[in-house]
Each structure stands twice: as structure tokens, then as C-alpha cells.
Amino acid sequence: MNDVVKSPKHYQIIEGVESIDIIASSMTCEQFKGFCLGNIIKYRMRAGNKDELNQDIDKANFYVDLFNMKKYLCRG
């Protein structure tokens, strides 16, 4: 099943590796936190204008969890 919020197929680079893993591992924890905050703001500002309102809000909210789930990958 393709979860468009938590694990969209178009972000899976190879089996078991998503682009977010590569992004997090290329940044410091502070940089990754800023990246996630930027995405939270982006999805909230566009909510309902591109995708369904609830889908955009869910994406924004997921970036809070995503930071906590992936920060261990950060460098430094």
C-alpha cells in the first residue's frame, strides 16, 4: 500500500532506502531540524491548494515525527 504521507513510493530510492534517509545523513541535526521546519511551514501554507486539505495538514504534522525518527542519521 502506498502511504502518500508517511512513505510515498516516489521517494524510495532503492528497496529500504528513502530520500529522507539520505537527506538526514547529509546534514547536521540542526540543519535537518531546519529542513523539517521548512517543510512543516510549506505544507501548512499550501494546505488545500495542491492536495486535499487534510493530506497537507497530515504531511505537515508528520514532519514533526519524521525529525524525531530520523535525527539519529544526522552527522556530527
Side-chain angles (χ1 to χ4, degrees):
M1 182 175 170
N2 185 24
D3 185 328
V4 296
V5 173
K6 296 182 179 177
S7 189
K9 286 187 179 186
H10 58 275
Y11 288 127
Q12 293 180 7
I13 306 302
I14 56 174
E15 178 112 10
V17 178
E18 294 188 1
S19 57
I20 195 67
D21 297 331
I22 296 167
I23 292 167
S25 65
S26 71
M27 296 180 171
T28 65
C29 197
E30 184 178 344
Q31 290 168 331
F32 185 57
K33 188 174 187 177
F35 170 83
C36 291
L37 178 59
N39 278 292
I40 291 167
I41 293 167
K42 172 185 73 176
Y43 283 118
R44 288 185 180 162
M45 288 182 67
R46 78 162 204 201
N49 291 317
K50 180 179 177 191
D51 296 318
E52 293 292 321
L53 176 66
N54 288 341
Q55 182 177 323
D56 281 336
I57 296 300
D58 288 346
K59 286 179 182 179
N61 293 339
F62 181 64
Y63 268 92
V64 174
D65 297 331
L66 188 66
F67 172 74
N68 290 316
M69 290 181 340
K70 302 290 184 174
K71 66 183 176 183
Y72 76 94
L73 294 171
C74 296
R75 59 183 174 84

